[in-house]
Amino acid sequence: DLNATRHAWGGPQVNTKGRDLANWLNEHKLNVLNAGIKTSLRSDTTIDLMISGEIPETSESQSLPYTCSDHLPILTKFYRLKALDTKLLVPRTYWKLYKYILIILHDQLQAEQESAMNDPNNTYKWFLNLQQFLGALKLRVTVWQEVKRKRPSISSSLRILLHHKHYLQNRFRHSKKEEDRLRLRTWNILIKQELRAHRQRSWEQFISSVASPNPTTFWHTVKKLNKKKSVEFSAITEKNIVHRSPEDIVMNLAKHFAERHAAPLLDKTKILDKEASELWQLYSTADKDYIKLISNRSDLRFSEQEITNTICSLKSKNSSGFDQVSNKMIKEIPEQFHVILTHAYNQLFSAAHWGNEWKLARTICLNKSDNPAPTTNQLRPISMLPVFSKVYEKLFLLRFNRWTTKMNILPDQQSGARPHQATTSRVNCLLEQITQSQRYNTFTPVIYIDFLQAFDKLWQQGLLLKLNKLDCPPAYLVWMVNYFTSRSLKIDYGGIESVTINVNWGAPQGSCLGPVMYVVCHYDLLQLFANPVNVHAYVDDIAIVYIPSIHLKCKHQIIQIEKEINSDMQNLLNYANDWHQPLNPNKTELVNYHKAVQSPKLDIYYAGVKILQK
């Protein structure tokens, strides 16, 4: 009760104490949680203030009935705060036992797979049964152990030394003897030396990681230093309404993703949309005998070694989709099973078979902002697919990448989703062009293009049309149509699942095939621009360098560059409309690298929206 009032806190007027308190709260990043709530029987003004470091969106305050005083008690619930237990339950899986049991059951599982050899549907059911068995087996060989939540950062020997030092301190406090004082002093000097050596070893280890000649070690260390922990969200803000209950959060997320993955509106009067729809219909209704014929004539047959290499290429992750099977569980399968899996996968490829269970993704959302009550657009969806379906994708990708390399489809300026290329390849080329331009020009503008939810807005029918025009093998096209058809996902928030959401637009999140499909679909995007050599792409991130003519004065260079960029932006707009791949003009930026005192101002527009210049 500070007798401080402000309009934002539910007061009729602002007084001096209110202004002083508001400034103090802003300075210390504190918030009033019960604004507008009656706290007194004598007045409707909010007299008693609940002040906290939490924000109102992640809490709920209410006045309780009370007649013994003119002040009403206030109950505040904090949805983000959790009780901190000193101990934590962690699982320990006995992987050797897991392998031994699978080796014992190898013959039985092989016999079941051989009985389903001639029918892709039965083979797919065998995969589903294997998934269930592996999930149950992993639970059976896993025990949960209680460990301390906070682990010490120093070695056990140092902890023993510190423990003995505390013993000597207590002994000297009680005895006050000179010999105890000397013993404590000697022991204290020894601990200081050990701590100094420990800090030096830690620092040397850190420096060796940063200065490592191995790029993987260097970037791994830098990533750990710069990685920002995602802020957990306990509420969702939608149209200025805060939804706090888990059921409301899941319902709003499901609505958002249903709209996000809804099929694009096609105009059948346009030749492009009509051709894409007819071709998709043709392959989606293909006869089973025709599919079997073209599949047997294709190169979609795999050896045991290719299966082994694909499984070994999986990252050792413990997360899983609705199949309850993780990458780690597949990698721990004995090698005797690779022969069985080879026959089973070849049987699925012979019919381009895809089951609906392998198309269902478990999607969780991470907060991209610092707000614990973000909007749905501020969330990053992470999808987890069944592991056997990811192996199925990786096998197809082996043949598809070989075909794209043989046909030389992807331009040299695209460094994303390609072997032996990385972000550094594009960054080096980009910096080289900017540096060379700055030698002769006073300014060099670069446009950084941002596509709106790039993978989620991939036009599947358009991808099929482009691949067909590139003479892609029919077996690949049939397989991809079955891959994209009837895709779905479910939102998982704190164990609460949403309804099934159909994915009719975009590449599946979390799939290894999605980025490759995106770059192949837009292989011809760079040809839209006046100088394709100056375009640098890494999957959906594009940077375009515009180099002014050295034969023009600065004033005429600005006019020339503005005209060239606006022309390219118009071509890009037409392309985005034709291929249903929208751009985000609010996140597209123009950066002017210059040597002059002031950067030249350029008027660049995309779809009537002025591009932000930095």
Side-chain angles (χ1 to χ4, degrees):
D1 181 8
L2 300 172
N3 292 324
T5 61
R6 279 178 66 86
H7 296 299
W9 303 337
Q13 58 187 3
V14 181
N15 59 10
T16 304
K17 291 184 178 180
R19 282 190 291 268
D20 295 341
L21 179 60
N23 294 333
W24 186 84
L25 293 177
N26 291 332
E27 181 182 350
H28 292 83
K29 297 181 180 179
L30 297 173
N31 301 291
V32 173
L33 304 182
N34 63 324
I37 296 177
K38 181 178 179 180
T39 61
S40 173
L41 296 176
R42 295 181 299 169
S43 171
D44 293 334
T45 304
T46 303
I47 297 176
D48 302 317
L49 302 178
M50 296 293 295
I51 298 174
S52 170
E54 295 293 305
I55 63 173
E57 288 79 6
T58 61
S59 63
E60 182 180 355
S61 299
Q62 62 180 4
S63 299
L64 300 180
Y66 187 65
T67 56
C68 296
S69 170
D70 58 350
H71 288 270
L72 298 175
I74 307 168
L75 173 65
T76 301
K77 299 178 183 178
F78 296 94
Y79 293 102
R80 217 159 59 100
L81 299 183
K82 296 179 181 178
L84 181 62
D85 297 327
T86 58
K87 294 190 176 181
L88 181 70
L89 287 175
V90 296
R92 181 185 177 186
T93 303
Y94 293 90
W95 292 111
K96 287 187 178 180
L97 182 59
Y98 175 85
K99 283 185 177 181
Y100 294 154
I101 295 176
L102 286 176
I103 291 173
I104 293 172
L105 297 176
H106 172 266
D107 293 341
Q108 180 181 348
L109 293 172
Q110 185 177 20
E112 291 178 359
Q113 195 275 324
E114 289 175 352
S115 65
M117 272 294 292
N118 297 324
D119 188 354
N121 288 323
N122 291 336
T123 302
Y124 177 70
K125 290 178 182 177
W126 176 84
F127 268 111
L128 296 182
N129 292 333
L130 181 60
Q131 285 179 180
Q132 292 180 356
F133 173 71
L134 292 178
L137 176 59
K138 195 255 183 180
L139 290 176
R140 190 67 183 86
V141 298
T142 300
V143 294
W144 291 82
Q145 296 179 333
E146 200 175 59
V147 298
K148 290 183 178 180
R149 187 179 293 270
K150 292 184 178 180
R151 296 184 181 181
S153 60
I154 58 177
S155 62
S156 57
S157 59
L158 269 174
R159 294 201 301 272
I160 293 173
L161 292 176
L162 289 172
H163 182 73
H164 188 64
K165 176 193 171 184
H166 295 157
Y167 164 74
L168 294 176
Q169 281 179 330
N170 292 330
R171 182 173 175 175
F172 174 67
R173 288 191 187 116
H174 289 86
S175 67
K176 302 295 182 181
K177 294 180 179 179
E178 181 65 18
E179 57 179 327
D180 289 339
R181 187 187 70 80
L182 293 175
R183 190 178 289 114
L184 174 61
R185 181 182 177 185
T186 305
W187 202 261
N188 193 37
I189 293 173
L190 175 64
I191 289 178
K192 286 183 178 180
Q193 292 174 349
E194 290 295 327
L195 285 173
R196 193 179 301 113
H198 171 72
R199 284 194 295 266
Q200 184 176 353
R201 287 193 301 269
S202 300
W203 175 252
E204 289 174 353
Q205 184 179 3
F206 168 74
I207 290 298
S208 64
S209 299
V210 173
S212 172
N214 186 356
T216 304
T217 306
F218 169 76
W219 287 112
H220 181 69
T221 307
V222 172
K223 184 179 179 181
K224 286 197 297 185
L225 291 174
N226 296 326
K227 188 175 182 181
K228 186 179 179 182
K229 189 176 180 181
S230 176
V231 177
E232 293 187 10
F233 65 96
S234 54
I236 287 289
T237 305
E238 194 67 27
K239 297 180 180 179
N240 296 326
I241 300 175
V242 180
H243 303 277
R244 294 186 177 89
S245 69
E247 292 78 11
D248 289 344
I249 292 174
V250 170
M251 187 173 64
N252 278 273
L253 290 175
K255 181 181 177 182
H256 168 74
F257 283 102
E259 296 173 355
R260 185 165 170 170
H261 292 288
L265 297 176
L266 303 181
D267 186 359
K268 295 299 179 66
T269 60
K270 292 184 178 180
I271 298 177
L272 196 64
D273 290 3
K274 184 179 179 182
E275 287 182 357
S277 299
E278 290 176 351
L279 185 65
W280 184 272
Q281 182 67 22
L282 177 66
Y283 277 101
S284 60
T285 57
D287 184 67
K288 291 184 179 180
D289 294 334
Y290 171 73
I291 295 175
K292 189 172 183 180
L293 177 64
I294 61 175
S295 297
N296 290 333
R297 291 180 178 178
S298 70
D299 58 353
L300 293 176
R301 302 285 297 176
F302 299 90
S303 65
E304 180 186 347
Q305 187 60 47
E306 288 176 317
I307 298 289
T308 302
N309 294 341
T310 302
I311 292 175
C312 291
S313 69
L314 294 172
K315 295 181 179 179
S316 297
K317 293 183 177 180
N318 291 317
S319 57
S320 63
F322 290 119
D323 60 335
Q324 301 299 318
V325 179
S326 64
N327 291 3
K328 175 77 172 175
M329 295 165 62
I330 300 297
K331 291 172 72 73
E332 292 293 335
I333 289 179
E335 290 190 5
Q336 298 96 304
F337 279 78
H338 294 178
V339 179
I340 307 176
L341 293 176
T342 302
H343 295 312
Y345 276 118
N346 284 332
Q347 186 66 30
L348 292 183
F349 274 111
S350 67
H353 186 82
W354 269 98
N356 289 334
E357 291 83 359
W358 281 7
K359 298 179 185 179
L360 177 62
R362 171 176 170 249
T363 302
I364 61 173
C365 295
L366 300 181
N367 191 359
K368 294 191 292 185
S369 68
D370 296 330
N371 186 2
T375 62
T376 50
N377 288 323
Q378 293 175 321
L379 299 176
R380 177 183 288 111
I382 304 294
S383 295
M384 286 161 283
L385 296 163
V387 180
F388 282 120
S389 74
K390 290 194 282 189
V391 175
Y392 197 22
E393 288 181 38
K394 281 179 171 287
L395 290 172
F396 175 79
L397 203 55
L398 290 176
R399 299 292 185 262
F400 188 77
N401 281 339
R402 188 169 70 179
W403 174 77
T404 55
T405 304
K406 179 182 177 182
M407 302 297 292
N408 196 24
I409 291 174
L410 297 180
D412 295 335
Q413 296 92 326
Q414 175 61 266
S415 297
R418 302 178 70 177
H420 313 299
Q421 300 237 24
T423 316
T424 50
S425 307
R426 283 300 100 207
V427 172
N428 288 337
C429 293
L430 178 63
L431 290 176
E432 180 67 21
Q433 281 194 348
I434 294 174
T435 305
Q436 291 293 337
S437 176
Q438 291 291 84
R439 288 185 178 183
Y440 309 105
N441 297 295
T442 56
F443 71 99
T444 303
V446 179
I447 293 279
Y448 294 95
I449 303 295
D450 182 78
F451 284 97
L452 180 65
Q453 300 162 359
F455 291 170
D456 292 340
K457 300 298 183 183
L458 176 66
W459 186 28
Q460 303 164 357
Q461 290 87 344
L463 168 66
L464 191 73
L465 180 62
K466 282 193 176 182
L467 289 174
N468 187 62
K469 291 181 178 180
L470 291 170
D471 294 328
C472 183
Y476 293 6
L477 300 180
V478 169
W479 190 91
M480 279 189 283
V481 169
N482 291 340
Y483 171 78
F484 282 114
T485 304
S486 302
R487 282 268 162 192
S488 59
L489 62 88
K490 283 186 178 180
I491 306 296
D492 185 355
Y493 176 76
I496 300 177
E497 296 177 8
S498 70
V499 296
T500 303
I501 302 166
N502 295 324
V503 180
N504 298 317
W505 193 4
Q509 287 279 350
S511 67
C512 60
L513 204 59
V516 178
M517 293 294 106
Y518 181 88
V519 298
V520 171
C521 181
H522 300 297
Y523 76 96
D524 56 346
L525 175 62
L526 308 187
Q527 302 302 320
L528 295 174
F529 304 100
N531 295 303
V533 179
N534 296 341
V535 182
H536 306 273
Y538 187 82
V539 193
D540 60 319
D541 296 320
I542 297 177
I544 314 159
V545 181
Y546 291 91
I547 302 176
S549 173
I550 60 175
H551 304 291
L552 299 176
K553 292 184 178 181
C554 182
K555 181 175 69 173
H556 298 293
Q557 283 181 337
I558 294 174
I559 297 173
Q560 173 219 353
I561 289 296
E562 276 188 355
K563 183 178 179 181
E564 186 177 340
I565 297 179
N566 282 313
S567 176
D568 283 347
M569 291 299 102
Q570 184 59 44
N571 293 336
L572 185 59
L573 176 61
N574 296 335
Y575 179 91
N577 292 334
D578 290 341
W579 294 98
H580 305 283
Q581 190 72 53
L583 203 72
N584 189 354
N586 295 321
K587 288 189 177 180
T588 299
E589 296 179 353
L590 166 64
V591 179
N592 220 342
Y593 300 93
H594 62 95
K595 296 186 294 185
V597 177
Q598 289 186 344
S599 172
K601 299 298 181 182
L602 302 176
D603 293 327
I604 309 300
Y605 295 89
Y606 178 87
V609 179
K610 188 173 182 179
I611 303 298
L612 178 66
Q613 179 174 340
K614 288 190 175 181

